Each structure stands twice: as C-alpha cells, then as structure tokens.
C-alpha cells in the first residue's frame, strides 16, 4: 500500500498536505521498505498520522 501510494502520489505532497494512514502496520510478507517510504512522505508533507488498531508490540509483525 505504501509503495503504491508513493508511486502514485508522492509528487503531489507539499507542506500544506496532511497524510492520514489507516491500517494495521503488517507487511503481509511483502518487501519491508515502509520505514523509507514513510520517511519520504513525512519529509514532504506537513503532518503524517497513522491510526493503527493493533498494540505497538504487534506493529511490523510478519503474517503468514
């Protein structure tokens, strides 16, 4: 999801943009480049919020 967002919308972000992500933070076996992509998004926008329903101890855990 983050890779697709980056590919399609990164050039549309500005310091007037707020990005809101709703998700559980699992990579479901996909490449784990989320930290790099989030860093790019955060560097371009005014604010980045991630609403995650899972406890922090389960963030980034691989699911099968």
């Amino acid at each position: 999801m983050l890779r697709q967002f980056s590919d399609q919308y990164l050039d549309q972000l500005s310091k007037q943009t707020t990005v809101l992500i709703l998700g559980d933070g699992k990579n479901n076996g996909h490449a784990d480049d989320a930290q790099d992509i989030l860093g790019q998004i955060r560097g371009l926008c005014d604010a980045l919020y991630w609403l995650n329903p899972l406890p922090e101890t389960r963030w980034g855990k691989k699911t099968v």
Side-chain angles (χ1 to χ4, degrees):
M1 180 277 309
L2 288 174
R3 170 62 52 207
Q4 184 178 4
F5 179 88
S6 174
D7 291 345
Q8 293 181 3
Y9 302 107
L10 205 62
D11 63 338
Q12 297 180 38
L13 301 181
S14 73
K15 289 299 180 183
Q16 297 176 345
T17 305
T18 296
V19 176
L20 177 62
I21 299 172
L22 307 172
D24 62 16
K26 294 180 182 178
N27 67 10
N28 294 326
H30 298 286
D32 192 14
D33 53 355
Q35 189 171 357
D36 294 334
I37 296 171
L38 288 171
Q40 291 176 337
I41 293 170
R42 181 61 191 106
L44 293 169
C45 68
D46 177 55
L48 171 63
Y49 299 98
W50 190 326
L51 302 181
N52 186 331
L54 297 178
E56 188 172 350
T57 55
R58 295 195 46 211
W59 293 1
K61 298 289 184 188
K62 192 174 189 177
T63 60
V64 208

